[in-house]
Amino acid sequence: MTDVPANSRDKPAKPEKKLGLVGELVEIVKTVVYALLIALVLRVILFQPYTIPSASDEPNLYRGDYIIVTKWSYGWSRNSIPFSPPLFKGRLFFTPPQRGDIIVFKLPSSGHIDFIKRLVGLPGDRIQLKAGQLFINDKPAAEKPLGPGVGDLPGGVLPVKLQQETAPGGRSYKIQLATGQESAGDTGVYVVPPHCYFMMGDNRDNSLDSRFDPGLSPDDPKLGGCGWNAALDEKVGDQQGVGFVPEENLVGRARIILLSWNTGATEETACCASIFKPWTWFIDARPSRFFKVLH
């Protein structure tokens, strides 16, 4: 047997170097940066959450609904990125939206505020409302009464008429109308310009949408070529709304209500669930609206 030299036997492992305070701080910063970059990529390319702030899309979306929007549905524009930096123009990998989609978009008059409405008018369409009924290219959208209900209207929580509306192409969805005099229920004819879209809230009598003047001059660059005919204001009044939505302003398609909390009966009487009151996350939750697919 060969003797093993004493100095070749197992040696004790060298102690690991300690990073020290500065090194630990650097590691923490790197971890945070990586996490933020991953979150940014997911938010820009795949999904983005939104909380519904108003009642304009009742009876399908209510204040306090927490929804998920798919960013890839219509491709990407500068508005897909937080704060809409002017990195490029137009859309990448554009897929045109379909009539009836519920869409998040940037309000043309600001370029930064997120709005959510239903798409009812495509480029080249003629849109009009007569006695509250939607007409697309001079043909009425089919309506089916669903009975009475209550909804958030300009005068408070009031009785409403629930209806199922079916647009050309067969897409059906619920809408609600005031039982009395309707707001902007009789309009002129809106001709949707190229590369522009006409949006409406499902709560037809409590929605400042594409029926209303965007409040900008027709040649304002924020409108992206979706100029406005001021003569249309004669029927609906001079309230500022959305106007036509430029193709570049589309952010994504609303797909599902992930969670929902009661945040008050109306915008004027906000209450109940609050991010600063953790116990309300449970007592004011609306589980019946969790994981509800949007149509």
Side-chain angles (χ1 to χ4, degrees):
M1 179 182 293
T2 305
D3 291 335
V4 178
N7 59 2
S8 67
R9 299 186 185 203
D10 293 342
K11 295 181 180 179
K14 292 182 179 179
E16 293 183 3
K17 280 187 176 181
K18 291 185 178 179
L19 292 174
L21 179 59
V22 173
E24 289 182 3
L25 287 174
V26 169
E27 289 301 314
I28 291 172
V29 170
K30 284 166 63 177
T31 301
V32 171
V33 169
Y34 292 153
L36 290 174
L37 286 174
I38 292 170
L40 180 63
V41 169
L42 291 174
R43 189 179 187 274
V44 170
I45 297 178
L46 298 178
F47 304 101
Q48 187 167 344
Y50 287 91
T51 300
I52 301 302
S54 74
S56 66
D57 291 293
E58 291 183 6
N60 298 300
L61 291 170
Y62 286 82
R63 293 181 66 247
D65 285 347
Y66 186 77
I67 67 170
I68 299 297
V69 171
T70 52
K71 303 294 284 290
W72 69 81
S73 297
Y74 314 123
W76 295 269
S77 74
R78 64 186 183 86
N79 292 302
S80 304
I81 306 170
F83 309 112
S84 303
L87 300 179
F88 61 95
K89 292 186 178 181
R91 303 196 72 87
L92 302 175
F93 306 105
F94 179 53
T95 300
Q98 302 297 308
R99 195 192 316 276
D101 288 355
I102 301 176
I103 297 177
V104 171
F105 57 91
K106 296 295 183 183
L107 180 66
S109 60
S110 78
H112 297 286
I113 298 173
D114 290 320
F115 261 48
I116 181 167
K117 304 288 181 188
R118 190 180 295 277
L119 171 60
V120 298
L122 301 173
D125 279 350
R126 293 166 52 85
I127 305 295
Q128 186 176 20
L129 273 84
K130 300 178 183 179
Q133 185 171 16
L134 174 65
F135 282 72
I136 301 175
N137 296 323
D138 305 315
K139 296 180 180 178
E143 294 181 340
K144 177 183 176 183
L146 297 176
V150 292
D152 186 351
L153 297 175
V157 178
L158 299 170
V160 296
K161 299 179 291 185
L162 296 173
Q163 294 185 166
Q164 178 176 291
E165 184 174 87
T166 302
R171 194 82 164 272
S172 294
Y173 42 85
K174 290 181 182 178
I175 63 170
Q176 68 184 34
L177 301 167
T179 56
Q181 185 176 2
E182 297 166 345
S183 171
D186 288 283
T187 72
V189 178
Y190 304 86
V191 180
V192 186
H195 305 290
C196 306
Y197 296 92
F198 191 95
M199 309 286 187
M200 290 181 66
D202 292 332
N203 190 0
R204 294 287 166 82
D205 296 302
N206 193 12
S207 176
L208 291 172
D209 45 41
S210 289
R211 291 172 288 180
F212 298 92
D213 195 315
L216 299 173
S217 62
D219 57 352
D220 193 299
K222 288 183 179 179
L223 293 179
C226 303
W228 186 258
N229 179 3
L232 294 166
D233 299 343
E234 295 178 9
K235 291 243 181 181
V236 298
D238 56 0
Q239 297 181 83
Q240 184 173 333
V242 171
F244 301 119
V245 177
E247 182 178 281
E248 191 177 39
N249 287 43
L250 305 181
V251 173
R253 180 179 173 186
R255 294 283 188 172
I256 188 171
I257 300 171
L258 189 63
L259 302 168
S260 183
W261 289 272
N262 177 20
T263 56
T266 67
E267 296 175 53
E268 289 73 26
T269 58
C271 72
C272 313
S274 169
I275 193 171
F276 302 109
K277 300 175 182 177
W279 63 90
T280 64
W281 304 349
F282 303 96
I283 63 175
D284 288 309
R286 295 185 289 212
S288 62
R289 297 188 61 74
F290 288 10
F291 308 112
K292 185 176 181 181
V293 177
L294 295 169
H295 300 286

